[in-house]
Amino acid sequence: MKKKLLSMILATTMIASVLVGCGGSSDSAETAAPAEEAATEEAAPAEEAATEEAAPAAEANGTKVGVSMPTKDLQRWNQDGANMQAELEAAGYEVDLQYASNDVQTQVSQIENMISGGADVLVIAAIEGSSLGEALDMAKAANIPVIAYDRLLMNSDAVSYYATFDNYMVGTKQGEYIVEALDLENADGPFNMEITAGDPGDNNAGYFYNGAMDVLNPYIEAGKLVVVSGQVSFDEVATPTWATETAQSRAENILSSNYADGTQIDVWLCSNDSTALGVENALAANYNGEYPVITGQDCDIENVKNMLAGKQSMSIFKDTRTLASQVVKMVGQILSGETVDVNDTETYDNGTGVIPSYLCEPVFADVNNYKELLIDSGYYTEGDLQ
Ligand code: BGC
């Protein structure tokens, strides 16, 4: 019965108030509502929203939230899962948290088990955005709201909301960093560059790549940046499952085919930290020239260590605590029939229409600000980075 009530609430309250950034201000607020519902409502006052707690425990009592995470192999998902579990439990929910070992069929069965186990809401970070159709159909048939977590769930009308970081902005920040680091506005170059992008099955990967390439393409066209391997298109530079080993072996091939004669490599655009780590491993074993500028994303511990050792230039900090809080708040709003905070109703079309989204703001990180971002904020201890 809870589910029926939920679906009614959901149907009548897919109304969005607009905030900027996670807990940010609403000065550029636009009224936002899912295209179909077209309901409009004033943006919630930013302060109130920023200080608002997750769902009150009373509403959460007896309510079960299924949290499906892709893998324990990459550091960030362990943090996402742990943060989600802690925050949901603190708000009084029962939590069924599962990791799927990057195996799509395992993720499908885990979600199906969550549904049959009585989940009232599902929060899903997909391994492959388009491969959960069956399980999502089952959720829809059971009137269980689904929140796509970090990665958009594609081609399914079972998805109620999406919460993530601004993925395109992650890419533009990486691109802008490269422009500044090489002083591309003033320097003639040419600078030699290589590119390593993410998993084609992850909708985010294209946003990261496009965000960075939209910044860098003018410099490639002007001949200031030269991709020596000639591998530029997303398909050529993608890394299935974001695996470090795959990024490493591709980087080894690129280095032996194009740089073995001592050619200098000036910059390696990497979409995230797991792929940057592969590139860094390949460089350590196969390259003696001056170390290139290398980008990353996630501030994984190994990569922050490499940043401190001068082997990675920057990363993007996506505080998983912020995303978890936002999602817990979303869960509470969905369950209580309140207006659900979103701040983007245009960008993320999953093939069945635009999914109302909440985009948190990614933050640039390097050796100069890591202490404040990562240590002072309690994300890591100094010991974690030794
Ligand atoms: C996430 C990134 C992460 C990557 C690999 C993406 O969907 O947004 O933060 O680096 O997956 O796990």
Side-chain angles (χ1 to χ4, degrees):
M1 63 118 224
K2 208 184 258 168
K3 304 228 173 91
K4 270 223 174 84
L5 183 66
L6 263 181
S7 68
M8 280 172 52
I9 289 172
L10 195 68
T12 52
T13 60
M14 294 248 309
I15 298 169
S17 71
V18 175
L19 297 171
V20 175
C22 277
S25 77
S26 64
D27 37 43
S28 61
E30 53 190 83
T31 305
E36 278 144 47
E37 267 81 2
T40 54
E41 198 166 272
E42 284 293 319
E47 251 122 74
E48 193 189 302
T51 52
E52 216 176 304
E53 283 298 309
E59 270 160 28
N61 274 343
T63 306
K64 205 186 233 185
V65 183
V67 180
S68 170
M69 289 282 146
T71 174
K72 284 197 152 194
D73 290 350
L74 297 188
Q75 188 198 319
R76 73 155 290 186
W77 304 110
N78 294 282
Q79 273 159 316
D80 286 278
N83 291 335
M84 283 294 300
Q85 178 157 36
E87 293 221 21
L88 285 167
E89 284 176 356
Y93 299 103
E94 205 183 308
V95 180
D96 183 0
L97 168 64
Q98 304 288 336
Y99 288 87
S101 310
N102 259 345
D103 180 65
V104 172
Q105 203 41 52
T106 303
Q107 187 162 41
V108 169
S109 333
Q110 286 175 339
I111 294 169
E112 288 175 353
N113 287 339
M114 287 171 189
I115 296 168
S116 52
D120 296 288
V121 181
L122 291 171
V123 177
I124 301 173
I127 296 165
E128 248 181 51
S130 300
S131 304
L132 298 177
E134 267 169 69
L136 296 177
D137 287 349
M138 198 170 153
K140 190 177 179 205
N143 290 321
I144 301 173
V146 174
I147 299 173
Y149 184 95
D150 193 84
R151 298 171 170 176
L152 188 55
L153 294 158
M154 305 302 291
N155 307 319
S156 166
D157 62 358
V159 186
S160 315
Y161 293 97
Y162 179 36
T164 189
F165 286 84
D166 187 329
N167 296 304
Y168 184 82
M169 191 191 284
V170 168
T172 57
K173 285 189 183 224
Q174 294 169 332
E176 282 158 6
Y177 177 81
I178 290 173
V179 171
E180 275 189 33
L182 300 179
D183 192 19
L184 289 177
E185 276 303 289
N186 301 305
D188 292 332
F191 296 102
N192 294 335
M193 172 165 113
E194 296 299 336
I195 306 165
T196 296
D199 182 356
D202 176 353
N203 187 57
N204 291 352
Y207 281 88
F208 302 144
Y209 170 85
N210 288 332
M213 295 306 283
D214 284 351
V215 175
L216 297 176
N217 269 329
Y219 301 99
I220 295 179
E221 280 154 23
K224 287 193 180 190
L225 286 174
V226 176
V227 182
V228 178
S229 68
Q231 298 175 23
V232 182
S233 70
F234 178 78
D235 289 344
E236 288 171 307
V237 303
T239 311
T241 77
W242 296 94
T244 298
E245 300 69 28
T246 310
Q248 180 169 339
S249 58
R250 179 172 164 265
E252 283 165 357
N253 287 337
I254 288 176
L255 289 172
S256 63
S257 315
N258 303 281
Y259 296 89
D261 59 359
T263 302
Q264 163 77 17
I265 173 158
D266 300 297
V267 55
W268 205 308
L269 169 71
C270 296
S271 285
N272 86 330
D273 280 354
S274 63
T275 54
L277 199 59
V279 167
E280 287 152 22
N281 293 341
L283 286 166
N286 301 281
Y287 179 75
N288 298 315
E290 203 179 308
Y291 223 75
V293 167
I294 301 181
T295 62
Q297 164 184 200
D298 291 333
C299 287
D300 283 350
I301 288 177
E302 285 312 308
N303 298 75
V304 178
K305 286 183 181 169
N306 275 358
M307 264 183 354
L308 297 177
K311 293 182 186 164
Q312 181 169 323
S313 315
M314 59 86 79
S315 191
I316 300 286
F317 181 44
K318 304 200 300 190
D319 193 331
T320 53
R321 297 169 299 190
T322 316
L323 184 57
S325 308
Q326 195 61 41
V327 173
V328 173
K329 190 162 146 193
M330 246 183 195
V331 168
Q333 288 170 334
I334 291 173
L335 289 171
S336 61
E338 284 168 56
T339 299
V340 175
D341 290 339
V342 297
N343 60 9
D344 184 297
T345 52
E346 287 174 4
T347 309
Y348 289 101
D349 189 326
N350 82 340
T352 66
V354 172
I355 306 299
S357 307
Y358 197 101
L359 311 186
C360 299
E361 197 173 325
V363 177
F364 163 84
D366 71 359
V367 280
N368 298 312
N369 68 358
Y370 85 96
K371 269 211 169 94
E372 184 192 334
L373 284 182
L374 304 175
I375 309 287
D376 299 351
S377 77
Y379 202 71
Y380 295 139
T381 62
E382 286 279 8
D384 290 334
L385 303 177
Q386 271 150 25

